[in-house]
Amino acid sequence: MTNSLDALKYAAALLTQRANWTTDSISGTDCTGDHEPELDAIDETVREICALAAQFGDPRRYSDGRLVKSAREIEPGVVTEHVWHPDPAAEQPSSWRGTLRHDPGEPSPGIYEVSLTPATQEIHVCTVRSI
């Protein structure tokens, strides 16, 4: 069972992660419209929720000492992050694959696979480069 303070820390971490992705995506588009007020509203909401969560202890750790979020580098400049569920039994191990960064029209220099182990909070990254 998840306590309410851990649930708040989880919600704050998820909100931060998804807002960062969303604002990066919006900023990287060729939209001609001005989205500054909307992006500022998202940023302010994230700051308020994170400040609320920080009032109840370290926002980076759950009440049992586990990390709220972990990160691992896939390749230089590319990092994967994962927000761990406050109840480790509620999350199943998972994995996904992708191609390493490359210029459009160029072949990928390789692939990577990321595996998550919620019970131990491990993020394992395996990178295979072509030769």
Side-chain angles (χ1 to χ4, degrees):
M1 171 132 183
T2 303
N3 76 45
S4 57
L5 297 180
D6 284 349
L8 176 60
K9 291 177 183 183
Y10 178 66
L14 277 180
L15 176 62
T16 301
Q17 184 181 54
R18 292 178 183 168
N20 287 342
W21 173 81
T22 303
T23 55
D24 286 350
S25 181
I26 291 169
S27 298
T29 63
D30 292 332
C31 292
T32 56
D34 178 21
H35 297 292
E36 192 169 326
E38 293 88 352
L39 295 173
D40 287 347
I42 292 170
D43 288 341
E44 182 61 26
T45 302
V46 170
R47 281 192 296 275
E48 288 176 12
I49 299 298
C50 289
L52 179 62
Q55 291 179 13
F56 302 103
D58 185 351
R60 297 168 298 177
R61 295 217 174 252
Y62 289 124
S63 58
D64 63 3
R66 291 178 313 107
L67 291 170
V68 172
K69 179 178 80 172
S70 298
R72 282 289 303 268
E73 186 176 71
I74 294 173
E75 63 177 317
V78 178
V79 175
T80 186
E81 295 182 339
H82 183 73
V83 176
W84 303 103
H85 194 281
D87 178 1
E91 192 171 4
Q92 297 299 312
S94 61
S95 64
W96 66 92
R97 294 182 179 148
T99 58
L100 297 175
R101 289 188 302 179
H102 56 284
D103 291 329
E106 296 291 323
S108 171
I111 60 168
Y112 66 87
E113 181 172 292
V114 176
S115 300
L116 303 176
T117 308
T120 58
Q121 290 194 307
E122 292 177 311
I123 300 175
H124 179 73
V125 175
C126 179
T127 303
V128 178
R129 293 194 174 273
S130 307
I131 24 179

